[in-house]
Amino acid sequence: MKVRPATPADVPELCSFLNEIIRIGGTTANETPFTSESFTAHYLAGPGFVSCFVAEDVDGRPCAFQALERYDGLPEGWADIGTFSRPDAKVRGAGTALFAATRDNARVQGLTALNATIRADNVGGLAYYGKMGFVDYKVDKAVPLKSGLPVDRVSKRYLLAAV
């Protein structure tokens, strides 16, 4: 599995499968589709940008990506993590490979912890972050979606001990 930093050339494909995930619903807090410009601003070049890594399938196509960003509300030295996989063809091991690259880069950048906030109804996302070593530290109850449906958000953290 090849994992590498995301580039602007990846944006159309990453944006396309992220928008498909949003359209399907149920696994992301994102509810508004991205344009190429808004995707770039959020995941590759925004003021809170830390990193974005892409996993490629055997054909060299992006099959998943993982991004880190900083934003107000997180403790100093923390970044928020988001992981997205192509919904029509998941590649076994992509999430583990992405997290290794993201974690190692976060340490190099001097971060102390990663935060993952996951919808409580996203069973796969909760399991993935648990498998990577994240532990629950807070739950925001009944956060409404655009439809008004209340969904809990589970926040998990991963402490980046020096290696």
Side-chain angles (χ1 to χ4, degrees):
M1 165 119 7
K2 182 177 178 186
V3 173
R4 60 174 175 73
T7 69
D10 296 314
V11 170
E13 189 146 11
L14 300 180
C15 187
S16 175
F17 75 70
L18 177 55
N19 285 340
E20 179 66 10
I21 293 166
I22 292 167
R23 187 193 67 71
I24 293 166
T27 61
T28 179
N30 294 311
E31 295 183 83
T32 302
F34 287 85
T35 63
S36 291
E37 294 77 19
S38 65
F39 182 94
T40 299
H42 188 80
Y43 291 108
L44 294 181
F49 173 79
V50 176
S51 67
C52 185
F53 287 96
V54 171
E56 294 180 347
D57 64 17
V58 295
D59 296 324
R61 285 184 57 216
C63 63
F65 72 96
Q66 188 168 74
L68 285 181
E69 66 177 322
R70 293 186 189 110
Y71 61 85
D72 292 340
L74 286 177
E76 185 67 30
W78 286 44
D80 195 61
I81 189 169
T83 309
F84 306 94
S85 295
R86 200 169 59 213
D88 63 336
K90 299 211 185 287
V91 175
R92 185 169 174 81
T96 301
L98 282 168
F99 185 64
T102 297
R103 179 196 61 222
D104 293 350
N105 185 55
R107 285 181 175 138
V108 167
Q109 293 197 42
L111 295 175
T112 57
L114 303 179
N115 173 75
T117 300
I118 307 115
R119 287 174 47 159
D121 58 350
N122 181 353
V123 176
L126 292 168
Y128 166 73
Y129 286 107
K131 179 181 171 189
M132 296 302 107
F134 284 72
V135 296
D136 294 5
Y137 73 94
K138 98 176 165 168
V139 176
D140 293 316
K141 295 288 199 184
V143 177
L145 300 175
K146 283 185 353 184
S147 68
L149 177 71
V151 178
D152 291 353
R153 305 286 165 91
V154 178
S155 292
K156 295 177 167 283
R157 72 173 161 235
Y158 182 92
L159 299 178
L160 291 160
V163 176

Short mmCIF file of all heavy atoms in Angstrom, two decimals, residues 76 78 147 163:
data_model
loop_
_atom_site.label_atom_id
_atom_site.label_comp_id
_atom_site.label_asym_id
_atom_site.label_seq_id
_atom_site.Cartn_x
_atom_site.Cartn_y
_atom_site.Cartn_z
N GLU A 76 -3.98 23.46 23.18
CA GLU A 76 -2.71 23.72 22.52
C GLU A 76 -1.99 22.39 22.26
O GLU A 76 -1.95 21.51 23.11
CB GLU A 76 -1.84 24.61 23.41
CG GLU A 76 -0.55 25.05 22.77
CD GLU A 76 -0.74 26.00 21.60
OE1 GLU A 76 -1.72 26.77 21.59
OE2 GLU A 76 0.09 25.96 20.69
N TRP A 78 -2.88 20.12 20.10
CA TRP A 78 -3.80 19.08 19.59
C TRP A 78 -4.18 19.41 18.15
O TRP A 78 -4.19 20.56 17.73
CB TRP A 78 -5.07 19.05 20.41
CG TRP A 78 -4.97 18.45 21.77
CD1 TRP A 78 -4.00 18.66 22.70
CD2 TRP A 78 -5.91 17.56 22.38
NE1 TRP A 78 -4.28 17.97 23.84
CE2 TRP A 78 -5.45 17.28 23.66
CE3 TRP A 78 -7.11 16.99 21.94
CZ2 TRP A 78 -6.13 16.44 24.53
CZ3 TRP A 78 -7.79 16.16 22.81
CH2 TRP A 78 -7.30 15.88 24.09
N SER A 147 -31.07 18.33 9.39
CA SER A 147 -32.47 17.88 9.37
C SER A 147 -33.16 18.07 10.71
O SER A 147 -34.37 17.91 10.81
CB SER A 147 -32.53 16.39 9.00
OG SER A 147 -31.96 15.62 10.07
N VAL A 163 8.61 9.05 20.82
CA VAL A 163 9.11 7.70 20.52
C VAL A 163 10.61 7.69 20.59
O VAL A 163 11.28 8.58 20.21
CB VAL A 163 8.63 7.23 19.14
CG1 VAL A 163 9.21 5.89 18.79
CG2 VAL A 163 7.12 7.19 19.09
#
